[in-house]
Every structure is written in C-alpha cells, then in structure tokens.
Amino acid sequence: MSFRSFTLVGASIALSLAASLAVPSKADAASRDKRFFDSVAGTWTGPGEIVAGKYKGTKFTCNLTGISAEGPAGLTLDGTCRVGVFSQPMKAVISQVGNGYQGQFLDGANGKGLDIVSGTVSRDKVVMGINRAKLNGAMVARLQNQTAMNITISVKVEDQLVPVIGLKLNRQAAADAKN
C-alpha cells in the first residue's frame, strides 16, 4: 500500500466533522455543531477497507481518540491505523472558521496529507470537503447511535463522487481504551 493511499485512509478517519445547513440562527447552528463534535469526542476503534482503486480490498484497523475543541466547534483526532504489521500515525485538526470549517489531515495538502476545505453538520451526520492538488472529494461521517459511526471517503471522478474508503468505528469504554 502506498503512503498516499494510506494517507487517504487516515483522511477518512481524521475528517469526522463539519458546519451547518439552513437553520433559524447562527447561535443555534453553532450550538448544534458544538454538540455534534462533543458527541463524537472519545476513543473509537474499528475496521476499514479500501473499496475502489489500485488497493481495492485492502483491509485496515484504526484506533483514534477525538478531543472536542475549546470554544468554537471543532475536533482534534489523533491515533493510528494499521495494515498487517505496519502502523501509520493519524492526526487531524478541524476548526470552525466563520460559517464553515477548515483543517488538515496529517501535514495538509502542502505536505503528504489533505486539506479540509468545507463542512456541514446535521443532527447525526457531517460532510467535509477534502482537497489535495487535483484530488477533490468528501468525507461523510454518520453516527448510527452513540457507540457506532460509519465513515465513507469519496473522490470526485468527472461529475460523480465515487466511494473509495469505508470505515466502521465503535466507541470504546474508558476501561477498554486503556487495554
């Protein structure tokens, strides 16, 4: 698996978050967004798979910890993803900026990572726009309930978003996370 593909895997994880749709007021939207990010803070683990492209069928496992931002909505996600015996550090920082979201996965698009260029938050789902050079796409994270979250990373091919990575994370209890 190439570093670039592994980086895209991490991007899917790192990106679990975003901003607002049409709502009555900015204060309501900010409060809703903050509640969402607070609800996904904690320790998550689970399997993923590359579902398209050169590395289709590659399975991996991630262990991640999300920390809700102080102040405006956002999240810092830190941990690792593992393919066989190989482990890759994963880190993302997502911050509310004005009415939208910005951030980066790893060291951003200027390095070996991705930029988070936009985002929206609804009650149980976030959609983040991601970018690296000519690669544009989206990360969708949906809370199934308070202990399960599905993440899909898609890239734009011509006029369509094509899913390339899927991840199923489960929240770990505090005692489980220490083991």
Side-chain angles (χ1 to χ4, degrees):
M1 170 184 266
S2 75
F3 181 79
R4 185 173 185 166
S5 296
F6 207 77
T7 299
L8 190 55
V9 169
S12 68
I13 301 150
L15 300 175
S16 2
L17 320 246
S20 111
L21 297 170
V23 292
S25 75
K26 287 182 183 181
D28 290 342
S31 175
R32 181 202 59 226
D33 291 6
K34 180 76 170 149
R35 281 191 308 272
F36 179 85
F37 285 107
D38 289 349
S39 78
V40 297
T43 303
W44 296 84
T45 187
E49 183 175 355
I50 299 174
V51 297
K54 182 177 179 181
Y55 297 101
K56 180 179 180 177
T58 300
K59 296 181 186 317
F60 56 92
T61 303
C62 297
N63 295 301
L64 305 163
T65 300
I67 299 170
S68 185
E70 300 278 331
L75 185 83
T76 297
L77 193 66
D78 206 358
T80 60
C81 288
R82 183 174 43 84
V83 175
V85 297
F86 300 101
S87 186
Q88 172 73 38
M90 297 294 156
K91 183 163 185 154
V93 177
I94 300 167
S95 301
Q96 186 175 29
V97 177
N99 291 330
Y101 283 86
Q102 293 179 354
Q104 63 183 28
F105 167 71
L106 294 177
D107 54 355
N110 289 331
K112 295 181 179 180
L114 297 163
D115 286 339
I116 299 163
V117 297
S118 64
T120 61
V121 175
S122 63
R123 198 181 54 187
D124 63 351
K125 176 175 84 171
V126 297
V127 178
M128 291 287 184
I130 56 176
N131 176 268
R132 176 181 176 80
K134 295 181 182 179
L135 173 73
N136 290 299
M139 184 282 310
V140 177
R142 181 183 307 271
L143 280 172
Q144 300 302 309
N145 55 51
Q146 288 303 307
T147 62
M149 179 170 36
N150 292 334
I151 298 173
T152 302
I153 297 289
S154 300
V155 296
K156 192 167 187 176
V157 178
E158 296 177 6
D159 292 336
Q160 293 186 335
L161 281 174
V162 177
V164 293
I165 296 173
L167 184 65
K168 294 183 179 194
L169 296 173
N170 293 300
R171 186 182 301 275
Q172 300 300 294
D176 292 343
K178 293 178 184 176
N179 296 330

